[in-house]
Amino acid sequence: MSAADRRRGLAIVFFVVFLDLLGFGIVIPILPYYTRSFPGGTEFVIGLLAASYSAMQFAFAPLLGSLSDRVGRRPVLVVSLCGSVVAWTVFGLATALWVLFVSRMLAGAMGGNLSTAQAYVADVTPPERRAAALGFIGAAFGLGFIFGPGIGAVLSFDATVAAVDALLPAAVPITRFSLPSFAAAFASLCGVVVALLFLPEPDRPSSSASADGRPSMVAQLRAAVATAGLRDLLGAFFLVSFAFSGVQVMFVPYVADIYGYTAAQSALLLTYIGVVAVLTQGVLVGRLSARYSPVRLSLFGTALLVVGVGAIPASRSLGSVLPDLTAVVPFLTPELLGLLVLLTLLPLGNGVLSVTLTALVSQRAGAAVQGSAFGITQGAGSLARTVGPPVMGGLYYAVGYWSPFVVGGALLVPVLWLVSRLGDSADPVDAHPADPGHVR
């Protein structure tokens, strides 16, 4: 590939990943409300739906990556995006809970194309520029989570639904749930068109050639796990992903039940979280990393998360002691201000922690096992995101609305101990880690 083709390929992969995550972000705010509209759609079922996506993504990511080694990156990306179009369309047309599960599982399987997108980036960038290029893939994820919930909010407004319903034939069912789902399908369809028309297939070594001289996966895993400090990091990754994924899924039911917020209002809150997350990773982490070690930053991020997650049930009480700013900003009531204060801590803490934990993995793993070390930590996170949502959903349903957040905060406390065991280091943090897979 020429230099111009490589630049074009990177830009198009960035755009395709953004479109894919845009659809994912559009659907996230409506998922709990949509699930509750069916008989038996409890918080536990909401957690199972979230887990089904993560489980299928975990299972299919290596399969799609391996397939792309044999048949090419571009065909796998196109086919997986086509699968996403089908998944989100079926999601919008669902008439029963089992249809929601089928569509979410298909979407999760197709969402495993992250490994193919990462492989494409590795194909077209030299090693010294690869981390920065992969950081842009992480930025595409972040932008998808900023714009997706915002678009979902607009599409969930009654006025928007009524306007679109009047334009389309009666045979197309337009509701506050189906319209965002169809928009997600359209975003993936745009990705298909862009990839088919403009994405060049990169030069890459054949699968047989790339395997020459490479230790077996089992050997790589053993070497990575045997590396000093990596076990503690694996435990930290698992606990953070378990707590944060469960709290993320139960946050929308919480604001619906306690604050009476609609899907559109919940989506706007998620957009706010996405904006703070991108600013944290794009601006704040880089500045902090120049002054503090990754261990200290990890401890700082964990402490923010412990407070932010554990105190969410007290958000209305916090609002009662805050000033009333409605004379300045009419919608900013004290109870909303209390919620926003705590919500600010979540993307701040998670943004700092996700980057610094990844940097610590890179420091603790030798050069020969970097890839497998990242694979293990991402696998630990995926496993936690599969288990966390149904457990937290079960707590919400069986114990009370406060329990997932209090338990989540408690689960994060041992992370402070695990990270502190690593000792301190003056090594700088890469503000754009090479593994953005923790985002979803």
Side-chain angles (χ1 to χ4, degrees):
M1 295 177 68
S2 66
D5 283 340
R6 287 196 293 270
R7 289 193 296 269
R8 180 162 62 95
L10 282 174
I12 293 170
V13 165
F14 175 91
F15 188 57
V16 167
V17 171
F18 166 71
L19 289 172
D20 197 21
L21 265 291
L22 184 69
F24 181 82
I26 288 172
V27 169
I28 282 297
I30 69 166
L31 177 64
Y33 298 91
Y34 199 7
T35 306
R36 284 178 163 184
S37 70
F38 294 101
T42 65
E43 290 76 20
F44 178 65
V45 174
I46 294 171
L48 287 177
L49 270 172
S52 68
Y53 185 101
S54 298
M56 294 300 287
Q57 186 183 37
F58 175 64
F60 276 81
L63 296 178
L64 291 177
S66 176
L67 183 63
S68 74
D69 288 336
R70 297 195 300 272
V71 305
R73 315 298 187 204
R74 182 172 174 269
V76 171
L77 285 171
V78 169
V79 170
S80 62
L81 287 167
C82 288
S84 295
V85 173
V86 174
W88 296 132
T89 302
V90 172
F91 190 80
L93 297 173
T95 56
L97 275 176
W98 69 267
V99 181
L100 287 185
F101 273 97
V102 170
S103 61
R104 285 286 292 177
M105 292 172 71
L106 177 59
M110 298 300 99
N113 59 16
L114 168 64
S115 58
T116 303
Q118 290 174 316
Y120 190 106
V121 172
D123 291 336
V124 301
T125 54
E128 65 273 13
R129 296 174 55 189
R130 196 163 294 159
L134 286 168
F136 283 115
I137 298 296
F141 274 72
L143 290 174
F145 275 106
I146 287 178
F147 291 103
I151 293 173
V154 173
L155 296 177
S156 298
F157 287 134
D158 292 337
T160 307
V161 174
V164 175
D165 190 34
L167 293 174
L168 296 178
V172 182
I174 298 299
T175 69
R176 61 193 176 101
F177 301 130
S178 66
L179 184 56
S181 304
F182 296 156
F186 179 73
S188 294
L189 181 61
C190 289
V192 172
V193 174
V194 170
L196 281 174
L197 295 180
F198 304 109
L199 184 65
E201 178 65 28
D203 298 326
R204 68 185 194 282
S206 65
S207 58
S208 59
S210 63
D212 292 342
R214 180 179 296 176
S216 69
M217 179 56 69
V218 173
Q220 292 182 55
L221 295 178
R222 286 176 178 171
V225 172
T227 304
L230 195 54
R231 289 193 192 90
D232 292 333
L233 287 170
L234 288 177
F237 261 95
F238 182 86
L239 289 174
V240 171
S241 299
F242 186 104
F244 198 73
S245 64
V247 167
Q248 276 183 315
V249 173
M250 289 300 109
F251 170 72
V252 174
Y254 169 76
V255 295
D257 294 339
I258 305 303
Y259 286 82
Y261 287 165
T262 64
Q265 292 169 313
S266 300
L268 291 175
L269 287 173
L270 294 178
T271 300
Y272 170 76
I273 292 174
V275 170
V276 176
V278 169
L279 290 176
T280 298
Q281 296 201 29
V283 179
L284 183 61
V285 171
R287 296 181 179 181
L288 290 175
S289 64
R291 299 185 60 184
Y292 303 102
S293 71
V295 168
R296 292 183 182 181
L297 286 179
S298 293
L299 293 172
F300 172 67
T302 304
L304 289 179
L305 272 184
V306 169
V307 176
V309 169
I312 284 180
S315 57
R316 298 190 77 174
S317 299
L318 175 62
S320 66
V321 300
L322 294 176
D324 188 347
L325 301 179
T326 51
V328 181
V329 184
F331 66 84
L332 194 56
T333 62
E335 65 176 15
L336 175 58
L337 182 59
L339 181 61
L340 291 177
V341 168
L342 294 177
L343 289 186
T344 303
L345 298 180
L346 297 184
L348 275 175
N350 190 59
V352 171
L353 187 58
S354 60
V355 172
T356 53
L357 281 181
T358 304
L360 285 169
V361 170
S362 180
Q363 289 178 4
R364 266 43 181 196
V369 295
Q370 289 278 314
S372 57
F374 281 132
I376 295 169
T377 52
Q378 187 173 340
S382 296
L383 177 61
R385 288 190 294 272
T386 301
V387 179
V391 170
M392 296 303 196
L395 287 171
Y396 192 109
Y397 178 71
V399 179
Y401 73 88
W402 55 269
S403 57
F405 307 101
V406 173
V407 171
L411 286 173
L412 290 167
V413 172
V415 176
L416 294 168
W417 176 71
L418 289 170
V419 173
S420 65
R421 279 166 48 91
L422 298 172
D424 211 345
S425 170
D427 294 338
V429 178
D430 181 2
H432 300 286
D435 178 44
H438 62 271
V439 177
R440 73 170 169 181

